[in-house]
Structures are given as structure tokens and as C-alpha cells.
mmCIF file of all heavy atoms in Angstrom:
data_model
loop_
_atom_site.group_PDB
_atom_site.id
_atom_site.type_symbol
_atom_site.label_atom_id
_atom_site.label_comp_id
_atom_site.label_asym_id
_atom_site.label_seq_id
_atom_site.Cartn_x
_atom_site.Cartn_y
_atom_site.Cartn_z
ATOM 1 N N GLY A 1 -14.527 5.123 -8.694
ATOM 2 C CA GLY A 1 -13.777 6.197 -9.181
ATOM 3 C C GLY A 1 -12.554 5.736 -9.995
ATOM 4 O O GLY A 1 -12.143 6.357 -10.920
ATOM 5 N N GLU A 2 -12.145 4.516 -9.826
ATOM 6 C CA GLU A 2 -11.042 3.898 -10.498
ATOM 7 C C GLU A 2 -11.379 2.593 -11.193
ATOM 8 O O GLU A 2 -10.530 1.725 -11.428
ATOM 9 C CB GLU A 2 -9.816 3.837 -9.578
ATOM 10 C CG GLU A 2 -9.253 5.143 -9.015
ATOM 11 C CD GLU A 2 -8.100 4.982 -8.158
ATOM 12 O OE1 GLU A 2 -7.666 3.787 -8.184
ATOM 13 O OE2 GLU A 2 -7.697 5.877 -7.573
ATOM 14 N N SER A 3 -12.640 2.344 -11.236
ATOM 15 C CA SER A 3 -13.123 1.059 -11.605
ATOM 16 C C SER A 3 -12.855 0.734 -13.192
ATOM 17 O O SER A 3 -12.878 -0.367 -13.630
ATOM 18 C CB SER A 3 -14.657 0.830 -11.493
ATOM 19 O OG SER A 3 -15.284 1.860 -12.111
ATOM 20 N N ARG A 4 -12.545 1.698 -13.951
ATOM 21 C CA ARG A 4 -12.310 1.521 -15.327
ATOM 22 C C ARG A 4 -10.976 0.939 -15.605
ATOM 23 O O ARG A 4 -10.700 0.278 -16.598
ATOM 24 C CB ARG A 4 -12.526 2.774 -16.200
ATOM 25 C CG ARG A 4 -13.914 3.456 -16.154
ATOM 26 C CD ARG A 4 -13.926 4.617 -16.932
ATOM 27 N NE ARG A 4 -15.355 5.215 -16.958
ATOM 28 C CZ ARG A 4 -15.630 6.360 -17.477
ATOM 29 N NH1 ARG A 4 -14.772 6.996 -18.259
ATOM 30 N NH2 ARG A 4 -16.972 6.683 -17.509
ATOM 31 N N ARG A 5 -10.038 1.132 -14.648
ATOM 32 C CA ARG A 5 -8.665 0.692 -14.822
ATOM 33 C C ARG A 5 -8.548 -0.722 -14.318
ATOM 34 O O ARG A 5 -9.258 -1.193 -13.403
ATOM 35 C CB ARG A 5 -7.751 1.482 -13.951
ATOM 36 C CG ARG A 5 -7.581 2.983 -14.358
ATOM 37 C CD ARG A 5 -6.771 3.777 -13.378
ATOM 38 N NE ARG A 5 -5.453 3.026 -13.016
ATOM 39 C CZ ARG A 5 -4.698 3.320 -12.002
ATOM 40 N NH1 ARG A 5 -5.033 4.375 -11.245
ATOM 41 N NH2 ARG A 5 -3.679 2.684 -11.735
ATOM 42 N N LYS A 6 -7.700 -1.534 -14.929
ATOM 43 C CA LYS A 6 -7.609 -2.871 -14.579
ATOM 44 C C LYS A 6 -6.574 -2.940 -13.568
ATOM 45 O O LYS A 6 -5.501 -2.402 -13.559
ATOM 46 C CB LYS A 6 -7.018 -3.730 -15.831
ATOM 47 C CG LYS A 6 -6.846 -5.150 -15.582
ATOM 48 C CD LYS A 6 -6.306 -5.872 -16.737
ATOM 49 C CE LYS A 6 -6.079 -7.371 -16.447
ATOM 50 N NZ LYS A 6 -5.500 -8.127 -17.608
ATOM 51 N N PRO A 7 -6.836 -3.613 -12.394
ATOM 52 C CA PRO A 7 -5.951 -3.687 -11.270
ATOM 53 C C PRO A 7 -4.768 -4.392 -11.574
ATOM 54 O O PRO A 7 -4.695 -5.433 -12.224
ATOM 55 C CB PRO A 7 -6.843 -4.374 -10.154
ATOM 56 C CG PRO A 7 -7.801 -5.167 -10.897
ATOM 57 C CD PRO A 7 -8.122 -4.350 -12.142
ATOM 58 N N ARG A 8 -3.566 -3.849 -11.157
ATOM 59 C CA ARG A 8 -2.288 -4.375 -11.362
ATOM 60 C C ARG A 8 -1.879 -4.968 -10.026
ATOM 61 O O ARG A 8 -2.307 -4.626 -8.965
ATOM 62 C CB ARG A 8 -1.304 -3.509 -11.828
ATOM 63 C CG ARG A 8 -1.538 -2.897 -13.298
ATOM 64 C CD ARG A 8 -0.532 -1.972 -13.720
ATOM 65 N NE ARG A 8 -0.409 -0.811 -12.966
ATOM 66 C CZ ARG A 8 0.524 0.119 -13.123
ATOM 67 N NH1 ARG A 8 1.411 0.083 -14.131
ATOM 68 N NH2 ARG A 8 0.570 1.177 -12.336
ATOM 69 N N VAL A 9 -0.887 -6.017 -10.031
ATOM 70 C CA VAL A 9 -0.330 -6.595 -8.820
ATOM 71 C C VAL A 9 0.572 -5.591 -8.089
ATOM 72 O O VAL A 9 1.203 -4.616 -8.750
ATOM 73 C CB VAL A 9 0.422 -7.889 -9.159
ATOM 74 C CG1 VAL A 9 -0.586 -9.035 -9.763
ATOM 75 C CG2 VAL A 9 1.515 -7.663 -10.190
ATOM 76 N N LEU A 10 0.731 -5.762 -6.875
ATOM 77 C CA LEU A 10 1.437 -4.844 -6.091
ATOM 78 C C LEU A 10 2.580 -5.640 -5.240
ATOM 79 O O LEU A 10 2.287 -6.531 -4.467
ATOM 80 C CB LEU A 10 0.487 -4.065 -5.057
ATOM 81 C CG LEU A 10 1.231 -3.096 -4.102
ATOM 82 C CD1 LEU A 10 1.814 -1.955 -4.878
ATOM 83 C CD2 LEU A 10 0.225 -2.686 -3.032
ATOM 84 N N TRP A 11 3.850 -5.347 -5.533
ATOM 85 C CA TRP A 11 4.892 -5.922 -4.826
ATOM 86 C C TRP A 11 5.435 -5.074 -3.760
ATOM 87 O O TRP A 11 5.656 -3.875 -3.979
ATOM 88 C CB TRP A 11 6.014 -6.277 -5.873
ATOM 89 C CG TRP A 11 5.708 -7.350 -6.891
ATOM 90 C CD1 TRP A 11 5.180 -7.205 -8.105
ATOM 91 C CD2 TRP A 11 5.864 -8.852 -6.675
ATOM 92 N NE1 TRP A 11 5.021 -8.521 -8.801
ATOM 93 C CE2 TRP A 11 5.307 -9.516 -7.853
ATOM 94 C CE3 TRP A 11 6.188 -9.536 -5.586
ATOM 95 C CZ2 TRP A 11 5.268 -10.712 -7.909
ATOM 96 C CZ3 TRP A 11 6.137 -10.838 -5.677
ATOM 97 C CH2 TRP A 11 5.713 -11.492 -6.836
ATOM 98 N N LEU A 12 5.615 -5.699 -2.550
ATOM 99 C CA LEU A 12 6.007 -4.867 -1.443
ATOM 100 C C LEU A 12 7.266 -5.634 -0.769
ATOM 101 O O LEU A 12 7.393 -6.850 -0.892
ATOM 102 C CB LEU A 12 4.923 -4.663 -0.397
ATOM 103 C CG LEU A 12 3.688 -3.976 -0.866
ATOM 104 C CD1 LEU A 12 2.622 -4.027 0.035
ATOM 105 C CD2 LEU A 12 4.067 -2.535 -1.315
ATOM 106 N N TRP A 13 8.046 -4.864 -0.044
ATOM 107 C CA TRP A 13 9.183 -5.360 0.686
ATOM 108 C C TRP A 13 9.027 -4.974 2.148
ATOM 109 O O TRP A 13 8.719 -3.899 2.458
ATOM 110 C CB TRP A 13 10.445 -4.858 0.125
ATOM 111 C CG TRP A 13 11.683 -5.130 1.025
ATOM 112 C CD1 TRP A 13 12.278 -4.580 1.976
ATOM 113 C CD2 TRP A 13 12.401 -6.445 0.841
ATOM 114 N NE1 TRP A 13 13.304 -5.240 2.380
ATOM 115 C CE2 TRP A 13 13.413 -6.380 1.670
ATOM 116 C CE3 TRP A 13 12.329 -7.464 -0.162
ATOM 117 C CZ2 TRP A 13 14.482 -7.442 1.778
ATOM 118 C CZ3 TRP A 13 13.285 -8.515 -0.129
ATOM 119 C CH2 TRP A 13 14.338 -8.488 0.837
ATOM 120 N N TRP A 14 8.932 -6.043 3.078
ATOM 121 C CA TRP A 14 8.699 -5.908 4.481
ATOM 122 C C TRP A 14 9.866 -6.351 5.213
ATOM 123 O O TRP A 14 10.487 -7.323 4.924
ATOM 124 C CB TRP A 14 7.513 -6.595 4.875
ATOM 125 C CG TRP A 14 7.145 -6.489 6.312
ATOM 126 C CD1 TRP A 14 6.339 -5.583 6.952
ATOM 127 C CD2 TRP A 14 7.562 -7.326 7.318
ATOM 128 N NE1 TRP A 14 6.387 -5.710 8.248
ATOM 129 C CE2 TRP A 14 7.017 -6.827 8.559
ATOM 130 C CE3 TRP A 14 8.478 -8.531 7.449
ATOM 131 C CZ2 TRP A 14 7.422 -7.384 9.751
ATOM 132 C CZ3 TRP A 14 8.669 -9.094 8.644
ATOM 133 C CH2 TRP A 14 8.112 -8.521 9.820
ATOM 134 N N HIS A 15 10.222 -5.643 6.293
ATOM 135 C CA HIS A 15 11.209 -6.088 7.205
ATOM 136 C C HIS A 15 10.790 -5.433 8.676
ATOM 137 O O HIS A 15 10.360 -4.324 8.773
ATOM 138 C CB HIS A 15 12.594 -5.516 6.893
ATOM 139 C CG HIS A 15 13.629 -5.841 7.916
ATOM 140 N ND1 HIS A 15 14.093 -7.117 8.011
ATOM 141 C CD2 HIS A 15 14.259 -5.125 8.804
ATOM 142 C CE1 HIS A 15 15.059 -7.240 8.942
ATOM 143 N NE2 HIS A 15 15.178 -6.027 9.398
ATOM 144 N N GLY A 16 11.067 -6.349 9.629
ATOM 145 C CA GLY A 16 10.630 -5.870 11.033
ATOM 146 C C GLY A 16 11.719 -6.473 12.000
ATOM 147 O O GLY A 16 12.764 -7.005 11.537
ATOM 148 N N PRO A 17 11.590 -6.080 13.251
ATOM 149 C CA PRO A 17 12.515 -6.621 14.315
ATOM 150 C C PRO A 17 12.632 -8.125 14.257
ATOM 151 O O PRO A 17 11.691 -8.746 13.884
ATOM 152 C CB PRO A 17 11.913 -6.052 15.516
ATOM 153 C CG PRO A 17 11.146 -4.847 15.184
ATOM 154 C CD PRO A 17 10.517 -5.201 13.857
ATOM 155 N N GLU A 18 13.739 -8.562 14.775
ATOM 156 C CA GLU A 18 13.985 -10.036 14.906
ATOM 157 C C GLU A 18 12.923 -10.626 15.720
ATOM 158 O O GLU A 18 12.724 -10.192 16.816
ATOM 159 C CB GLU A 18 15.382 -10.328 15.331
ATOM 160 C CG GLU A 18 15.731 -11.798 15.302
ATOM 161 C CD GLU A 18 17.169 -11.890 15.807
ATOM 162 O OE1 GLU A 18 17.788 -11.066 16.119
ATOM 163 O OE2 GLU A 18 17.627 -13.092 15.859
ATOM 164 N N GLY A 19 12.357 -11.726 15.166
ATOM 165 C CA GLY A 19 11.340 -12.477 15.982
ATOM 166 C C GLY A 19 9.878 -12.077 15.641
ATOM 167 O O GLY A 19 8.990 -12.712 16.099
ATOM 168 N N THR A 20 9.708 -11.064 14.805
ATOM 169 C CA THR A 20 8.319 -10.668 14.373
ATOM 170 C C THR A 20 7.910 -11.217 12.993
ATOM 171 O O THR A 20 8.887 -11.437 12.200
ATOM 172 C CB THR A 20 8.255 -9.140 14.460
ATOM 173 O OG1 THR A 20 9.181 -8.561 13.495
ATOM 174 C CG2 THR A 20 8.548 -8.549 15.797
ATOM 175 N N THR A 21 6.721 -11.464 12.900
ATOM 176 C CA THR A 21 6.184 -11.917 11.528
ATOM 177 C C THR A 21 5.288 -10.801 11.018
ATOM 178 O O THR A 21 4.553 -10.065 11.758
ATOM 179 C CB THR A 21 5.437 -13.319 11.748
ATOM 180 O OG1 THR A 21 4.398 -13.099 12.602
ATOM 181 C CG2 THR A 21 6.319 -14.273 12.177
ATOM 182 N N PRO A 22 5.147 -10.665 9.655
ATOM 183 C CA PRO A 22 4.296 -9.578 9.077
ATOM 184 C C PRO A 22 2.847 -10.029 9.125
ATOM 185 O O PRO A 22 2.402 -11.135 9.001
ATOM 186 C CB PRO A 22 4.716 -9.636 7.607
ATOM 187 C CG PRO A 22 5.307 -11.004 7.307
ATOM 188 C CD PRO A 22 5.917 -11.477 8.657
ATOM 189 N N ASP A 23 2.052 -9.060 9.491
ATOM 190 C CA ASP A 23 0.714 -9.047 9.648
ATOM 191 C C ASP A 23 0.082 -8.815 8.215
ATOM 192 O O ASP A 23 0.042 -7.618 7.807
ATOM 193 C CB ASP A 23 0.089 -8.083 10.655
ATOM 194 C CG ASP A 23 -1.522 -8.294 10.850
ATOM 195 O OD1 ASP A 23 -2.038 -9.000 9.999
ATOM 196 O OD2 ASP A 23 -2.048 -7.722 11.726
ATOM 197 N N LEU A 24 -0.196 -9.810 7.290
ATOM 198 C CA LEU A 24 -0.518 -9.470 5.922
ATOM 199 C C LEU A 24 -1.818 -8.660 5.768
ATOM 200 O O LEU A 24 -1.913 -7.865 4.871
ATOM 201 C CB LEU A 24 -0.704 -10.822 5.170
ATOM 202 C CG LEU A 24 0.513 -11.706 5.199
ATOM 203 C CD1 LEU A 24 0.239 -13.057 4.407
ATOM 204 C CD2 LEU A 24 1.796 -11.044 4.688
ATOM 205 N N ASP A 25 -2.719 -8.821 6.675
ATOM 206 C CA ASP A 25 -4.068 -8.018 6.617
ATOM 207 C C ASP A 25 -3.647 -6.432 6.799
ATOM 208 O O ASP A 25 -4.131 -5.576 6.286
ATOM 209 C CB ASP A 25 -4.955 -8.532 7.526
ATOM 210 C CG ASP A 25 -6.321 -7.837 7.393
ATOM 211 O OD1 ASP A 25 -7.022 -7.950 6.453
ATOM 212 O OD2 ASP A 25 -6.828 -6.971 8.332
ATOM 213 N N LEU A 26 -2.764 -6.303 7.842
ATOM 214 C CA LEU A 26 -2.379 -4.892 8.172
ATOM 215 C C LEU A 26 -1.476 -4.302 7.104
ATOM 216 O O LEU A 26 -1.643 -3.149 6.782
ATOM 217 C CB LEU A 26 -1.642 -4.858 9.473
ATOM 218 C CG LEU A 26 -1.028 -3.492 9.939
ATOM 219 C CD1 LEU A 26 -2.115 -2.537 10.142
ATOM 220 C CD2 LEU A 26 -0.201 -3.730 11.111
ATOM 221 N N ILE A 27 -0.620 -5.075 6.399
ATOM 222 C CA ILE A 27 0.274 -4.583 5.428
ATOM 223 C C ILE A 27 -0.428 -4.072 4.200
ATOM 224 O O ILE A 27 -0.233 -2.923 3.774
ATOM 225 C CB ILE A 27 1.147 -5.796 5.040
ATOM 226 C CG1 ILE A 27 2.296 -5.949 6.174
ATOM 227 C CG2 ILE A 27 1.878 -5.485 3.676
ATOM 228 C CD1 ILE A 27 3.302 -6.986 5.802
ATOM 229 N N TRP A 28 -1.451 -4.777 3.628
ATOM 230 C CA TRP A 28 -2.052 -4.354 2.430
ATOM 231 C C TRP A 28 -2.861 -3.121 2.783
ATOM 232 O O TRP A 28 -3.066 -2.222 1.934
ATOM 233 C CB TRP A 28 -2.755 -5.430 1.793
ATOM 234 C CG TRP A 28 -4.120 -5.694 2.156
ATOM 235 C CD1 TRP A 28 -4.486 -6.653 3.158
ATOM 236 C CD2 TRP A 28 -5.343 -5.143 1.724
ATOM 237 N NE1 TRP A 28 -5.901 -6.658 3.404
ATOM 238 C CE2 TRP A 28 -6.467 -5.721 2.487
ATOM 239 C CE3 TRP A 28 -5.671 -3.990 0.885
ATOM 240 C CZ2 TRP A 28 -7.724 -5.357 2.449
ATOM 241 C CZ3 TRP A 28 -6.963 -3.806 0.599
ATOM 242 C CH2 TRP A 28 -8.003 -4.340 1.469
ATOM 243 N N ARG A 29 -3.583 -3.057 3.872
ATOM 244 C CA ARG A 29 -4.383 -2.058 4.304
ATOM 245 C C ARG A 29 -3.540 -0.695 4.554
ATOM 246 O O ARG A 29 -3.945 0.438 4.251
ATOM 247 C CB ARG A 29 -5.272 -2.287 5.521
ATOM 248 C CG ARG A 29 -6.341 -3.388 5.180
ATOM 249 C CD ARG A 29 -7.194 -3.724 6.373
ATOM 250 N NE ARG A 29 -8.083 -4.829 6.152
ATOM 251 C CZ ARG A 29 -9.191 -4.801 5.519
ATOM 252 N NH1 ARG A 29 -9.643 -3.600 4.930
ATOM 253 N NH2 ARG A 29 -9.905 -5.886 5.333
ATOM 254 N N SER A 30 -2.383 -0.897 5.006
ATOM 255 C CA SER A 30 -1.553 0.198 5.378
ATOM 256 C C SER A 30 -1.011 0.899 4.074
ATOM 257 O O SER A 30 -0.959 2.132 3.978
ATOM 258 C CB SER A 30 -0.360 -0.219 6.196
ATOM 259 O OG SER A 30 -0.635 -0.709 7.459
ATOM 260 N N TYR A 31 -0.621 0.088 3.141
ATOM 261 C CA TYR A 31 -0.114 0.743 1.793
ATOM 262 C C TYR A 31 -1.353 1.371 1.047
ATOM 263 O O TYR A 31 -1.183 2.363 0.351
ATOM 264 C CB TYR A 31 0.455 -0.352 1.033
ATOM 265 C CG TYR A 31 1.320 0.372 -0.152
ATOM 266 C CD1 TYR A 31 2.547 0.800 0.145
ATOM 267 C CD2 TYR A 31 0.750 0.512 -1.347
ATOM 268 C CE1 TYR A 31 3.273 1.483 -0.832
ATOM 269 C CE2 TYR A 31 1.435 1.193 -2.328
ATOM 270 C CZ TYR A 31 2.689 1.641 -2.091
ATOM 271 O OH TYR A 31 3.426 2.316 -3.119
ATOM 272 N N ALA A 32 -2.591 0.784 1.150
ATOM 273 C CA ALA A 32 -3.802 1.401 0.551
ATOM 274 C C ALA A 32 -3.968 2.791 1.104
ATOM 275 O O ALA A 32 -4.394 3.706 0.454
ATOM 276 C CB ALA A 32 -4.957 0.468 0.613
ATOM 277 N N GLY A 33 -3.687 2.846 2.493
ATOM 278 C CA GLY A 33 -3.859 4.183 3.114
ATOM 279 C C GLY A 33 -2.705 5.164 2.725
ATOM 280 O O GLY A 33 -2.949 6.400 3.071
ATOM 281 N N ARG A 34 -1.679 4.718 2.265
ATOM 282 C CA ARG A 34 -0.561 5.709 1.913
ATOM 283 C C ARG A 34 -0.978 6.566 0.786
ATOM 284 O O ARG A 34 -0.356 7.684 0.531
ATOM 285 C CB ARG A 34 0.622 4.856 1.500
ATOM 286 C CG ARG A 34 2.046 5.583 1.511
ATOM 287 C CD ARG A 34 2.872 5.078 0.440
ATOM 288 N NE ARG A 34 2.394 5.245 -0.912
ATOM 289 C CZ ARG A 34 2.686 6.418 -1.473
ATOM 290 N NH1 ARG A 34 3.288 7.435 -0.894
ATOM 291 N NH2 ARG A 34 2.231 6.733 -2.720
ATOM 292 N N PHE A 35 -1.806 6.197 -0.116
ATOM 293 C CA PHE A 35 -2.272 6.954 -1.181
ATOM 294 C C PHE A 35 -2.944 8.347 -0.787
ATOM 295 O O PHE A 35 -2.982 9.216 -1.497
ATOM 296 C CB PHE A 35 -3.261 6.257 -2.140
ATOM 297 C CG PHE A 35 -2.532 5.158 -2.838
ATOM 298 C CD1 PHE A 35 -2.688 3.819 -2.643
ATOM 299 C CD2 PHE A 35 -1.716 5.452 -3.983
ATOM 300 C CE1 PHE A 35 -2.045 2.758 -3.363
ATOM 301 C CE2 PHE A 35 -1.233 4.466 -4.831
ATOM 302 C CZ PHE A 35 -1.263 3.169 -4.416
ATOM 303 N N ASP A 36 -3.332 8.340 0.547
ATOM 304 C CA ASP A 36 -4.021 9.627 1.016
ATOM 305 C C ASP A 36 -2.891 10.728 0.956
ATOM 306 O O ASP A 36 -3.103 11.857 0.906
ATOM 307 C CB ASP A 36 -4.423 9.457 2.420
ATOM 308 C CG ASP A 36 -5.588 8.514 2.498
ATOM 309 O OD1 ASP A 36 -6.241 8.359 1.411
ATOM 310 O OD2 ASP A 36 -6.054 8.075 3.506
ATOM 311 N N LEU A 37 -1.625 10.323 1.124
ATOM 312 C CA LEU A 37 -0.578 11.360 1.142
ATOM 313 C C LEU A 37 -0.469 12.080 -0.206
ATOM 314 O O LEU A 37 -0.189 13.255 -0.319
ATOM 315 C CB LEU A 37 0.869 10.752 1.379
ATOM 316 C CG LEU A 37 1.968 11.545 1.647
ATOM 317 C CD1 LEU A 37 1.759 12.542 2.852
ATOM 318 C CD2 LEU A 37 3.263 10.751 1.918
ATOM 319 N N GLU A 38 -0.726 11.353 -1.374
ATOM 320 C CA GLU A 38 -0.748 11.952 -2.663
ATOM 321 C C GLU A 38 -1.818 13.028 -2.704
ATOM 322 O O GLU A 38 -1.576 14.101 -3.376
ATOM 323 C CB GLU A 38 -0.932 10.982 -3.673
ATOM 324 C CG GLU A 38 0.033 9.795 -3.694
ATOM 325 C CD GLU A 38 1.473 10.338 -3.965
ATOM 326 O OE1 GLU A 38 1.644 11.326 -4.448
ATOM 327 O OE2 GLU A 38 2.412 9.501 -3.519
ATOM 328 N N HIS A 39 -3.047 12.846 -2.168
ATOM 329 C CA HIS A 39 -4.082 13.752 -2.179
ATOM 330 C C HIS A 39 -3.606 15.027 -1.280
ATOM 331 O O HIS A 39 -3.976 16.134 -1.646
ATOM 332 C CB HIS A 39 -5.299 13.185 -1.615
ATOM 333 C CG HIS A 39 -5.879 12.148 -2.604
ATOM 334 N ND1 HIS A 39 -6.467 12.377 -3.754
ATOM 335 C CD2 HIS A 39 -5.821 10.787 -2.376
ATOM 336 C CE1 HIS A 39 -6.834 11.170 -4.277
ATOM 337 N NE2 HIS A 39 -6.426 10.138 -3.499
ATOM 338 N N THR A 40 -2.906 14.662 -0.236
ATOM 339 C CA THR A 40 -2.393 15.912 0.565
ATOM 340 C C THR A 40 -1.436 16.773 -0.181
ATOM 341 O O THR A 40 -1.526 17.989 -0.022
ATOM 342 C CB THR A 40 -1.663 15.289 1.839
ATOM 343 O OG1 THR A 40 -2.475 14.450 2.534
ATOM 344 C CG2 THR A 40 -1.277 16.491 2.713
ATOM 345 N N PHE A 41 -0.527 16.189 -0.954
ATOM 346 C CA PHE A 41 0.428 16.960 -1.766
ATOM 347 C C PHE A 41 -0.377 17.763 -2.801
ATOM 348 O O PHE A 41 -0.021 18.963 -2.960
ATOM 349 C CB PHE A 41 1.384 16.033 -2.327
ATOM 350 C CG PHE A 41 2.536 15.429 -1.524
ATOM 351 C CD1 PHE A 41 2.897 14.252 -1.715
ATOM 352 C CD2 PHE A 41 2.870 16.187 -0.413
ATOM 353 C CE1 PHE A 41 3.914 13.649 -0.914
ATOM 354 C CE2 PHE A 41 3.823 15.620 0.425
ATOM 355 C CZ PHE A 41 4.299 14.384 0.333
ATOM 356 N N ARG A 42 -1.378 17.211 -3.457
ATOM 357 C CA ARG A 42 -2.120 17.978 -4.342
ATOM 358 C C ARG A 42 -2.889 19.166 -3.756
ATOM 359 O O ARG A 42 -2.920 20.214 -4.287
ATOM 360 C CB ARG A 42 -3.191 16.944 -5.010
ATOM 361 C CG ARG A 42 -3.968 17.606 -6.239
ATOM 362 C CD ARG A 42 -4.943 16.650 -6.889
ATOM 363 N NE ARG A 42 -5.953 16.223 -5.902
ATOM 364 C CZ ARG A 42 -6.836 15.324 -6.258
ATOM 365 N NH1 ARG A 42 -7.038 14.878 -7.569
ATOM 366 N NH2 ARG A 42 -7.777 15.081 -5.406
ATOM 367 N N PHE A 43 -3.401 18.896 -2.537
ATOM 368 C CA PHE A 43 -4.147 20.023 -1.853
ATOM 369 C C PHE A 43 -3.278 21.088 -1.546
ATOM 370 O O PHE A 43 -3.519 22.146 -1.614
ATOM 371 C CB PHE A 43 -4.843 19.408 -0.572
ATOM 372 C CG PHE A 43 -5.391 20.378 0.302
ATOM 373 C CD1 PHE A 43 -6.684 21.046 -0.053
ATOM 374 C CD2 PHE A 43 -4.918 20.793 1.503
ATOM 375 C CE1 PHE A 43 -7.151 21.981 0.773
ATOM 376 C CE2 PHE A 43 -5.382 21.805 2.342
ATOM 377 C CZ PHE A 43 -6.557 22.311 1.910
#
């Protein structure tokens, strides 16, 4: 549905409690799921 658009890079800022490290696989999948909120607003 969006294959005609050229993908752009995505810059993110992460911060967590002291002693934790970011889970990169979880991070990019979590932000990809955030777009569902835009469809909720449209609905």
C-alpha cells in the first residue's frame, strides 16, 4: 500500500532506567506499531 514511496531513514531517541540497554529489535517494531494510532484518530 505504500510501496511507491521511497523509504526514508528514521531517527529515534531512546532512554531507559540506569543499567538497561535498548532492545533494538523491539524498538523499531514498537515505533512501527505506533502508526496504528493515526488510523484510530482518523476513525
Side-chain angles (χ1 to χ4, degrees):
E2 301 180 3
S3 57
R4 297 181 180 178
R5 294 174 50 192
K6 183 180 179 180
R8 295 183 296 180
V9 297
L10 180 65
W11 290 96
L12 303 171
W13 177 265
W14 179 89
H15 178 74
E18 186 176 357
T20 59
T21 56
D23 185 352
L24 299 184
D25 186 66
L26 174 64
I27 282 179
W28 82 267
R29 296 184 186 277
S30 299
Y31 194 84
R34 197 213 68 86
F35 288 103
D36 295 343
L37 188 61
E38 305 297 337
H39 298 284
T40 304
F41 287 147
R42 184 180 64 176
F43 173 76

